[in-house]
Amino acid sequence: QVQLVESGGGLVEAGGSLRLSCAASGNIFSINAMGWYRQAPGKQRELVAVITSGGRINYVDSVKGRFTISRDNAKNTVYLQMNSLKPEDTAVYYCNADITTRTWYSSPANTQTYWGQGTQVNVSS
């Protein structure tokens, strides 16, 4: 079993900052990529940022220059540093990861996508 546990959401004024964390735990062999999605009420979920195991990073245009994604491989944790927050950043933020699990004999098993529980980010104007 693999779980992604998120933290760091909350209420902040426009121009403020928040740092989201997502820690993966369980029978993990490797993590290929980790990222963040968000979903505002009445809107579709969108990819915010992703970082691969090789360090390649992509951001949605609306957050470039303001958000920074990073990863601590030793802790199986991904972070999203959000600066200069805007009201339009208000959404539920979901952690996402492609994870290969271990077999009982320590060989790689299946790779699949896992989701965090979501954390609410509210930015007031």
Side-chain angles (χ1 to χ4, degrees):
Q1 183 179 352
V2 172
Q3 286 188 318
L4 303 179
V5 179
E6 303 178 30
S7 63
L11 175 63
V12 66
E13 294 183 351
S17 298
L18 287 172
R19 184 173 183 255
L20 306 183
S21 299
C22 174
S25 62
N27 196 25
I28 298 170
F29 180 85
S30 63
I31 301 178
N32 182 52
M34 303 186 79
W36 293 92
Y37 290 73
R38 67 185 181 187
Q39 187 167 24
K43 297 184 178 180
Q44 292 184 317
R45 187 176 299 186
E46 68 171 349
L47 177 65
V48 178
V50 63
I51 182 169
T52 70
S53 60
R56 181 161 51 89
I57 295 172
N58 285 308
Y59 298 99
V60 67
D61 286 344
S62 60
V63 309
K64 289 181 179 178
R66 300 188 297 118
F67 291 10
T68 302
I69 189 171
S70 61
R71 181 175 176 178
D72 186 337
N73 292 331
K75 297 180 179 180
N76 290 330
T77 300
V78 64
Y79 306 94
L80 187 66
Q81 179 67 48
M82 304 185 294
N83 298 326
S84 301
L85 283 163
K86 303 175 180 180
E88 50 263 43
D89 295 319
T90 295
V92 177
Y93 284 71
Y94 296 92
C95 179
N96 172 273
D98 292 330
I99 296 175
T100 300
T101 55
R102 293 183 182 272
T103 66
W104 66 271
Y105 47 92
S106 299
S107 295
N110 293 331
T111 300
Q112 60 180 303
T113 299
Y114 296 87
W115 292 91
Q117 80 280 8
T119 184
Q120 179 71 50
V121 172
N122 286 306
V123 184
S124 64
S125 59

